[in-house]
Amino acid sequence: MSEIDTSKSPMTPEQQKAYQARQKQRAVIMAGILIFLVILFYLITFVKIGSSL
Amino acid sequence: MTSISTSSEDGLQNANIGTASAADLFALTKPRVMTLVIFTALCGLLAAPMSIHPILGFTAILAISLGAGASAALNQWYESDIDGVMKRTRNRPLPAGRMDRETALHFGVGLSFFSVILMGIATNWLSAALLAFSIFFYAVVYTIWLKRSTPQNIVIGGAAGAIPPVIGWAAVTGDVTLMPILLFAIIFFWTPPHFWALALFVNSDYSKAGVPMMPVVAGRQSTRRQIFGYSIILAATAIAPFALGMTGIIYGLSAIILSGIFCLLSARVGFSKTEEPSEMGAEKRLFGFSIFYLFALFGALVADRVILA
């Protein structure tokens, strides 16, 4: 993964670190939400198919 | 005096705006307001005369919560200017500069579509249509149109907040009968006394923001009289399900006692002449009790259904 070139970025190294930490936090939460939705849609399908049998 | 920001300050702002934190996105959904929406929707779902599979019931409540969160995000996207003026809302993600408006708009629109589709897939398309209507009503009719143009803003806009129990009911039964309409009416007539009691003692903030809340436009005395008037209508509406034989004695007694206290507190507000917000004890008591009133009334409805069934 390539790092942001700090010489061209308006951010200081500390700000860049905070920015990347926020990006990472959002990515982790998004992954958790996606896993939750996969399970939820699986269960919804299961219930719907079950009730139509 | 014009201040010129340094590149470092610009960088910090860009860093903040470029990636809004998950906590700020969550704050955009007004989680505290959402609790009341979730509760009333759940009560509508549990009070329905049929049952729903727990997974589908959970998904319905999740979809209603996401829809409420989407409405709140769209509300904050549009109102970031007045939120920045009021002390109560100044620290929200947009006026505080922790998020840009485009992010809030995309988040609100995306969440709106997702919540409606989720509701339609999990339950039925009537409840999905009702959810879509409530989001549209809150974001467009209330936030964009009514809030800044008429002192009746929260009376008509209150309809959006009154729909959740109807959606919960429709998610189970697939239809809308008189009972969910009465539940809608209870929240609809509860909203003016609840919000105007708050607006009476935070009046100065709404004036500063240029929002035509009733106390700002019609004056405090007129607002107090209207609070009392709406409380009488609320009491009649709250007792109606019992009077019409749709509920049992648990709900009936609760509705009579709670509505009696509500009317008594509203009467004290109606007779109050205080102009100083710090001395508005009657208004603060009514505002506090109004929150308890709604939770207790809907709780009694569910208890009535569960115990007497």
Side-chain angles (χ1 to χ4, degrees):
Chain A
M1 196 177 77
S2 63
E3 288 286 314
I4 295 171
D5 182 1
T6 49
S7 63
K8 288 178 186 171
S9 169
M11 289 187 249
T12 63
E14 292 78 25
Q15 288 164 357
Q16 190 192 335
K17 212 172 170 182
Y19 178 86
Q20 286 173 334
R22 265 200 310 278
Q23 272 188 323
K24 191 178 173 185
Q25 183 204 31
R26 271 175 58 161
V28 168
I29 291 171
M30 188 56 76
I33 291 170
L34 287 174
I35 292 167
F36 167 77
L37 287 176
V38 167
I39 296 168
L40 183 66
F41 277 97
Y42 171 77
L43 291 174
I44 291 170
T45 310
F46 198 75
V47 171
K48 288 268 182 187
I49 292 172
S51 65
S52 65
L53 287 177
Chain B
M1 193 178 81
T2 310
S3 67
I4 300 166
S5 59
T6 63
S7 60
S8 166
E9 284 169 339
D10 285 342
L12 184 60
Q13 200 170 10
N14 289 340
N16 281 335
I17 279 175
T19 310
S21 72
D24 282 332
L25 286 171
F26 183 65
L28 208 61
T29 62
K30 296 188 188 171
R32 279 175 63 192
V33 177
M34 207 195 283
T35 52
L36 199 63
V37 171
I38 294 171
F39 180 75
T40 55
L42 185 64
C43 290
L45 190 133
L46 293 173
M50 293 158 69
S51 63
I52 186 170
H53 192 285
I55 297 288
L56 302 183
F58 167 79
T59 310
I61 296 299
L62 178 69
I64 294 169
S65 313
L66 294 178
S71 307
L74 292 170
N75 172 274
Q76 290 189 54
W77 158 73
Y78 190 76
E79 291 191 341
S80 59
D81 55 341
I82 58 174
D83 279 353
V85 178
M86 297 203 288
K87 196 174 151 194
R88 188 172 60 88
T89 53
R90 198 177 290 161
N91 200 34
R92 284 178 176 170
L94 287 170
R98 299 194 302 273
M99 188 187 293
D100 61 65
R101 291 186 77 223
E102 201 180 33
T103 303
L105 177 65
H106 291 170
F107 180 69
V109 172
L111 207 55
S112 299
F113 277 100
F114 179 74
S115 64
V116 172
I117 291 166
L118 181 64
M119 179 64 99
I121 289 170
T123 61
N124 54 66
W125 291 100
L126 172 67
S127 52
L130 287 167
L131 182 61
F133 175 74
S134 71
I135 296 169
F136 171 81
F137 199 88
Y138 187 77
V140 179
V141 178
Y142 171 68
T143 303
I144 297 177
W145 179 32
L146 291 172
K147 188 162 182 180
R148 299 181 196 217
S149 62
T150 168
Q152 296 294 332
N153 46 20
I154 56 109
V155 179
I156 307 163
I163 296 179
V166 185
I167 304 172
W169 181 289
V172 180
T173 63
D175 60 18
V176 176
T177 54
L178 181 61
M179 186 61 192
I181 291 171
L182 283 172
L183 297 180
F184 170 90
I186 289 169
I187 304 177
F188 184 76
F189 291 119
W190 166 88
T191 307
H194 169 74
F195 273 106
W196 285 339
L198 173 73
L200 279 168
F201 59 87
V202 292
N203 191 356
S204 53
D205 247 10
Y206 282 116
S207 314
K208 223 189 315 176
V211 178
M213 284 300 268
M214 193 57 82
V216 180
V217 177
R220 287 194 168 116
Q221 288 317 110
S222 168
T223 308
R224 287 183 170 116
R225 281 193 298 274
Q226 292 189 62
I227 283 176
F228 184 61
Y230 272 105
S231 301
I232 302 291
I233 302 170
L234 170 66
T237 314
I239 296 165
F242 174 65
L244 295 171
M246 294 171 176
T247 63
I249 193 75
I250 296 173
Y251 174 83
L253 274 178
S254 306
I256 291 166
I257 294 167
L258 289 166
S259 300
I261 298 170
F262 198 101
C263 287
L264 201 72
L265 292 174
S266 299
R268 290 179 68 180
V269 170
F271 287 115
S272 172
K273 303 251 185 271
T274 314
E275 288 295 316
E276 181 54 47
S278 62
E279 292 169 7
M280 291 184 185
E283 287 79 1
K284 287 172 187 171
R285 266 190 295 277
L286 176 64
F287 176 72
F289 182 75
S290 67
I291 298 167
F292 171 75
Y293 174 87
L294 206 64
F295 274 104
L297 193 71
F298 276 75
L301 176 71
V302 174
D304 191 279
R305 290 276 176 177
V306 172
I307 295 168
L308 298 183

